[in-house]
Amino acid sequence: MSENTAKTGSTIVRGRHVLCGIDDLDRAEIISDGAVLVEAGRIVEIGPAAELIARNPHAECIGQASDLVMPGLVNAHHHTGLTPLQHGTPFLPLELWLPRFMGWRALDPYLDTLYSAIEMVESGVTTVQHIHGGPTGPRERWLDAPDAIMRAYAQIGMRASFSFMWRDRNRVVYGADDAFLAKLPAPLREQLAAILANGRTSVEALSEHFEALAERWGNPTDGLSRVQLAPANLQWCTRESLTAQRDLAHRHGVGLHMHLLETPYQRRFAEIDTGGSAVRHLADLGLLGPTMTIGHGIWCSDADIALLAETGTCVCHNASSGLRLRSGIAPVREFERAGIPVALGIDQAGINDDRDMLQEMRLAWNLQRTPGHAYEPLSEARIFRMASEHGAATTGFAELTGRLEPGRAADIVVVDWAQLARPYLDPDTEIVSALVQRARTGMIRDVLIAGRHVLRGGRIATIDKESLLGEIEAAMKRPPSEAEAARRAFVKALDPHLRAFYADWPLPDAADAFRSFNARR
């Protein structure tokens, strides 16, 4: 741009450090005393702050000369607002934990989504992969929840990719519904049968539901939303539904995000059901490739990792979830060494029972640090790339966000670097190392999404946070209805029958779940 030609509405975001991204050699791309020029929601130019400010005197200036400017973070795997713990669900192994969700009290999904969106924005997240539980109830109401969820993201101003967990078998245990029902006492059998009937549907109906979602949210003019497909997991999807989703993804040009090999029970199910590996089964069905993201992948074997790398498949690491549910620690270093792009997700909630991506980066970095002088752990730069550029690639926004560069969307986060470095930070400390290891949510000063201020001065700018929290508090403090109380009692009574179902499954040594995979390879 020539001197004094900045358009009205231009914005300059400045800082002591402008972190544009991480290159393929694991190096941070940083401009010292730099700035980002934004127009019409896009990055126009990045360069020395003094030059950009001098050439664009009418632009609004955000950030201080002491700040860090960086790309917005991406939560590449997210589900709900109120956490399971807030709903009264203790953290059990996944197979015993998920059925407890049937006892949750209802909350308007619009309010629920806004709650978690606030926490994400406050930790620098600008983009989220929202994986909904899936349609239930009358067919004519299936779009109600997705519409409420996406309306909430639009209200707060977040970039969101929506998908729903596609299930068409084994909805309670890793076995046929009817066989499990037959083993239950009559009262429990009747209650569970009624719940399952409410959610039973066909592959054709699920396909039509996705088509409706794609038309509604697939490619809006504001560029803030996308849709993807989310095969729930191998044990929950028939071959018919997997191939249907493969074909839908190809026809619509969208990605898939599939929970897989999260627990040793899931690995054992794949061995029983397919005679081999879950990853090999997906490859045989033509589901692997750059448009597929595997969520979790904790129990991948060496052969699985090689096949994921060969096909260019992505993985989303959910560090907190693996710990809280006793699922294990994913072999992230092995994924990275094989050349597999790894994203980062918070799942239902992070280790602090919130949606803090700064904390999740720190946890992911620490979990991959195996003892030994010769061992080379993942760098903080690699972790940051997982939470930014690689996450953007798995959500359908690869061309828009994840890095700061001209032409991309102005999804920008300003960190109060003076606060981060206080009272002292050695000048030789690498910028990204300090960011990953020291940043806290209170240090995020400003968040712009598509050039729009969503967090300003540390406060949510697009909605009234306190009013929202009060509304949720009032809704959830009402006495439980008779039906809600009955559901809560039902899920507790079901627990011993779930435990009995899995009691005789042969599994790997449980200690392997908590020993770093890097140490035993």
Side-chain angles (χ1 to χ4, degrees):
M1 293 180 65
S2 60
E3 187 173 358
N4 296 331
T5 58
K7 298 177 182 177
T8 301
S10 296
T11 301
I12 290 176
V13 187
R14 69 170 306 180
R16 179 180 179 183
H17 313 289
V18 175
L19 171 59
C20 297
I22 307 298
D23 69 16
D24 291 335
L25 296 177
D26 216 16
R27 299 173 304 195
E29 302 169 317
I30 295 175
I31 299 174
S32 298
D33 298 318
V36 182
L37 176 63
V38 176
E39 290 179 1
R42 295 276 182 151
I43 296 172
V44 175
E45 188 177 355
I46 304 175
E51 292 183 15
L52 288 181
I53 292 171
R55 288 194 281 112
N56 300 277
H58 302 295
E60 176 189 9
C61 197
I62 296 170
Q64 300 176 14
S66 58
D67 286 339
L68 168 72
V69 178
M70 68 181 193
L73 303 177
V74 179
N75 181 3
H77 188 116
H78 169 72
H79 293 289
T80 60
L82 287 180
T83 70
L85 191 66
Q86 288 176 297
H87 275 289
T89 300
F91 276 89
L92 303 167
L94 183 80
E95 291 77 15
L96 308 178
W97 184 67
L98 287 176
R100 294 287 185 109
F101 291 15
M102 292 186 286
W104 285 8
R105 300 177 63 190
L107 175 65
D108 181 348
Y110 172 76
L111 301 178
D112 192 58
T113 301
L114 282 177
Y115 172 58
S116 56
I118 286 172
E119 292 189 337
M120 284 188 269
V121 168
E122 288 176 336
S123 72
V125 173
T126 59
T127 300
V128 61
Q129 174 66 51
H130 187 110
I131 306 171
H132 184 240
T136 58
R139 179 77 178 275
E140 62 271 16
R141 302 292 302 274
W142 279 8
L143 287 172
D144 289 0
D147 282 350
I149 290 166
M150 296 306 283
R151 181 165 55 88
Y153 286 124
Q155 177 68 34
I156 202 167
M158 281 189 73
R159 206 175 294 280
S161 175
F162 180 90
S163 57
F164 67 92
M165 296 181 72
W166 187 311
R167 300 181 180 91
D168 68 332
R169 65 167 175 168
N170 307 338
R171 288 169 295 158
V172 185
V173 294
Y174 298 166
D177 295 336
D178 290 343
F180 182 69
L181 283 168
K183 294 182 180 180
L184 296 177
L188 285 180
R189 182 169 62 248
E190 292 169 4
Q191 286 179 282
L192 182 56
I195 293 171
L196 293 179
N198 185 49
R200 185 172 290 121
T201 189
S202 66
V203 170
E204 291 76 18
L206 292 171
S207 298
E208 291 172 5
H209 181 52
F210 172 77
E211 298 278 5
L213 289 170
E215 182 178 354
R216 224 174 183 103
W217 300 104
N219 195 22
T221 55
D222 64 9
L224 289 179
S225 71
R226 296 281 191 276
V227 295
Q228 294 203 52
L229 286 151
N233 210 315
L234 185 62
Q235 69 275 358
W236 293 317
C237 292
T238 61
R239 180 184 293 259
E240 179 189 6
S241 71
L242 289 172
T243 55
Q245 290 174 87
R246 175 199 65 197
D247 295 343
L248 279 169
H250 180 73
R251 185 161 67 251
H252 286 269
V254 301
L256 301 103
H257 190 119
M258 183 174 185
H259 293 67
L260 199 76
L261 294 173
E262 182 176 355
T263 75
Y265 291 89
Q266 293 176 5
R267 187 164 83 177
R268 180 58 181 156
F269 176 87
E271 293 167 354
I272 296 169
D273 191 60
T274 71
S277 156
V279 173
R280 169 53 64 186
H281 184 65
L282 294 183
D284 292 343
L285 294 178
L287 278 156
L288 298 186
T291 60
M292 167 64 87
T293 298
I294 299 302
H296 299 285
I298 294 169
W299 289 89
C300 281
S301 66
D302 288 339
D304 293 334
I305 292 171
L307 187 51
L308 292 174
E310 177 187 331
T311 55
T313 303
C314 305
V315 171
C316 182
H317 176 41
N318 305 300
S320 289
S321 175
L323 295 181
R324 300 187 89 188
L325 297 175
R326 293 186 270 163
S327 301
I329 300 170
V332 176
R333 184 168 178 267
E334 263 67 22
F335 292 149
E336 290 276 353
R337 289 179 65 182
I340 297 170
V342 180
L344 195 61
I346 307 176
D347 207 348
Q348 295 277 14
I351 202 76
N352 288 335
D353 206 51
D354 59 14
R355 266 60 57 128
D356 184 346
M357 183 55 80
L358 300 172
Q359 174 73 26
E360 196 70 14
M361 285 196 293
R362 193 151 41 250
L363 178 64
W365 179 77
N366 278 287
L367 279 178
Q368 301 298 316
R369 299 178 64 75
T370 293
H373 293 188
Y375 176 82
E376 298 220 7
L378 295 177
S379 68
E380 295 95 332
R382 191 68 61 91
I383 295 294
F384 182 81
R385 196 177 190 189
M386 288 166 53
S388 52
E389 185 177 0
H390 284 177
T394 70
T395 58
F397 294 106
E399 78 286 0
L400 285 177
T401 192
R403 292 178 55 82
L404 300 182
E405 59 187 30
R408 287 182 179 260
D411 293 1
I412 303 171
V413 172
V414 179
V415 181
D416 185 341
W417 190 257
Q419 185 182 356
L420 184 149
R422 191 179 184 191
Y424 177 73
L425 184 67
D426 190 281
D428 288 341
T429 303
E430 293 187 3
I431 303 304
V432 179
S433 296
L435 173 68
V436 170
Q437 295 194 47
R438 291 186 56 81
R440 306 290 190 272
T441 54
M443 300 174 186
I444 304 294
R445 177 183 290 125
D446 294 278
V447 174
L448 281 72
I449 303 175
R452 179 191 184 197
H453 242 128
V454 177
L455 188 81
R456 185 189 290 270
R459 298 176 63 86
I460 296 293
T462 49
I463 64 169
D464 185 334
K465 175 181 175 180
E466 289 305 314
S467 176
L468 170 73
L469 295 178
E471 193 170 352
I472 294 173
E473 186 177 22
M476 299 306 289
K477 279 191 171 180
R478 62 174 173 75
S481 68
E482 185 176 337
E484 288 173 334
R487 280 282 187 99
R488 179 67 62 89
F490 160 73
V491 296
K492 290 182 179 179
L494 188 64
D495 183 76
H497 302 280
L498 298 171
R499 293 177 185 272
F501 178 85
Y502 295 106
D504 298 327
W505 283 46
L507 299 172
D509 183 348
D512 283 347
F514 291 94
R515 187 182 306 131
S516 170
F517 276 54
N518 301 313
R520 66 183 183 87
R521 289 181 190 275

